[in-house]
Amino acid sequence: MRKRAHHRPAGAPPAAGHRTNVLALVVPLRAGAHDVVVREFVAAAIAAAGAREHALLLLTAEEGPAALRRAVSSSVADGVVVMDVEAADPRVPVLLGLGRPAVLIGVPDRPRGLGCLDLDFAAAGALCLGHLASLGHEHVALIGSSPATYRRGSSAATRLARGFTAEANRRRVRSTTLAWGDTHRQAVRGLDVLFARHPDVTGLVVHNETALPAVLAGLRRRGLRVPEDISLVAVCPESLTTHSLLELTCVAIPAREIGALAVETVIRRLDGESAPETRLLVPELTARASTAPPRPR
């Protein structure tokens, strides 16, 4: 009589005695990835894993689902942490079929029971718009991630843009959303187009830390002073807010906190101490020298 195959439920921890104490960490190395966020996240994840006597196996996003299958099916990795999640992420069904605990950094449209962890980017976009609106700005522009990032359906980029636009509509403030590349030349050209089409913009929200220095330089090139002529809010790691000529009003991306939490969450799942859940960290805005009420016109 044939024995029935035993199928492990999706996301179940490895059987007792079969743990390797290795976690697979999928990181983006593609063009347009937010380098500072990735570095801070990985550093925190490595530290958190080491503190719990676990090692990290780094996989690049370009290696795709096949690398995930190899790492888990060969019993190398007990669990998986995936960065750079897209709205319709093709890795979701793969992760469900691996039979290992997984945590996504980001929230796909259909997480289907996988654990998700991230900053609440929709709330962050609304918080940035609300701060500038409360100062009296009536037309605010969002300089978002690169066009390729939006085309991929990046979870963070799309959620922040939706929150920004929804809050602008709620407050009846005019809003414009822009996407360009990360180079100085692209930033200068983008600002030229922005102010040619919308000369009444007095507030900027920048969710692209790679382009942030170029945006600040482009404003100076145009003779626009921050915050006297235009206010600016950055959505970026806290470490970048003091690397410019002025301290920036910022909604910090808590990359280090998320990296450590992601590792802790996977290990708790492996230990049977928690179930998959979506956890969004509440954003906080720190007002500094780059925002002020607009000048009377």
Side-chain angles (χ1 to χ4, degrees), residues 44-269:
I46 291 172
R52 296 291 297 270
E53 299 183 346
H54 282 66
L56 289 184
L57 172 66
L58 295 183
L59 307 173
T60 69
E62 286 70 21
E63 292 179 271
L68 280 175
R69 291 192 188 95
R70 286 195 302 272
V72 174
S73 62
S74 62
S75 298
V76 173
D78 295 329
V80 183
V81 177
V82 180
M83 288 191 70
D84 198 33
V85 170
E86 301 168 7
D89 203 299
R91 295 168 296 189
V92 167
V94 175
L95 290 166
L96 287 168
L98 290 178
R100 290 290 191 274
V103 172
L104 306 179
I105 308 304
V107 185
D109 289 341
R110 297 181 62 199
R112 297 168 63 181
L114 291 173
C116 300
L117 174 66
D118 207 358
L119 179 68
D120 189 338
F121 277 98
L127 190 60
C128 294
L129 188 286
H131 173 70
L132 291 170
S134 67
L135 290 172
H137 294 273
E138 297 179 349
H139 191 173
V140 179
L142 168 65
I143 299 173
S145 300
S146 67
T149 302
Y150 288 106
R151 284 195 298 270
R152 288 191 294 102
S154 166
S155 169
T158 54
R159 283 184 287 134
L160 186 133
R162 288 173 189 159
F164 171 87
T165 302
E167 185 67 9
N169 292 337
R170 190 182 75 82
R171 290 178 176 260
R172 299 184 179 180
V173 170
R174 291 184 64 198
S175 66
T176 299
T177 301
L178 306 162
W180 60 59
D182 305 327
T183 68
H184 178 85
R185 183 178 179 182
Q186 290 168 323
V188 169
R189 185 185 304 135
L191 289 172
D192 287 343
V193 171
L194 169 63
F195 290 113
R197 294 178 180 175
H198 307 288
D200 61 335
V201 166
T202 58
L204 295 178
V205 175
V206 182
H207 180 212
N208 185 335
E209 73 265 11
T210 306
L212 183 57
V215 170
L216 291 167
L219 292 173
R220 290 194 297 271
R221 174 182 173 272
R222 297 184 61 87
L224 294 174
R225 298 166 300 166
V226 178
E228 292 86 355
D229 301 311
I230 191 155
S231 287
L232 185 147
V233 180
V235 182
C236 66
E238 189 74 29
S239 59
L240 295 181
T241 61
T242 57
H243 288 189
S244 58
L245 296 177
L246 77 164
E247 294 201 344
L248 302 177
T249 295
C250 173
V251 171
I253 298 176
R256 293 184 181 277
E257 181 181 358
I258 290 173
L261 280 173
V263 168
E264 291 289 340
T265 300
V266 171
I267 293 175
R268 285 199 303 271
R269 294 272 310 282

Side-chain angles (χ1 to χ4, degrees), residues 8-76:
R8 295 162 47 76
H18 291 82
R19 294 268 290 268
T20 64
N21 286 354
V22 174
L23 306 177
L25 174 60
V26 184
V27 298
L29 295 180
R30 61 170 64 91
H34 291 200
D35 294 339
V36 177
V37 171
V38 173
R39 288 199 302 270
E40 292 190 359
F41 175 88
V42 172
I46 291 172
R52 296 291 297 270
E53 299 183 346
H54 282 66
L56 289 184
L57 172 66
L58 295 183
L59 307 173
T60 69
E62 286 70 21
E63 292 179 271
L68 280 175
R69 291 192 188 95
R70 286 195 302 272
V72 174
S73 62
S74 62
S75 298
V76 173

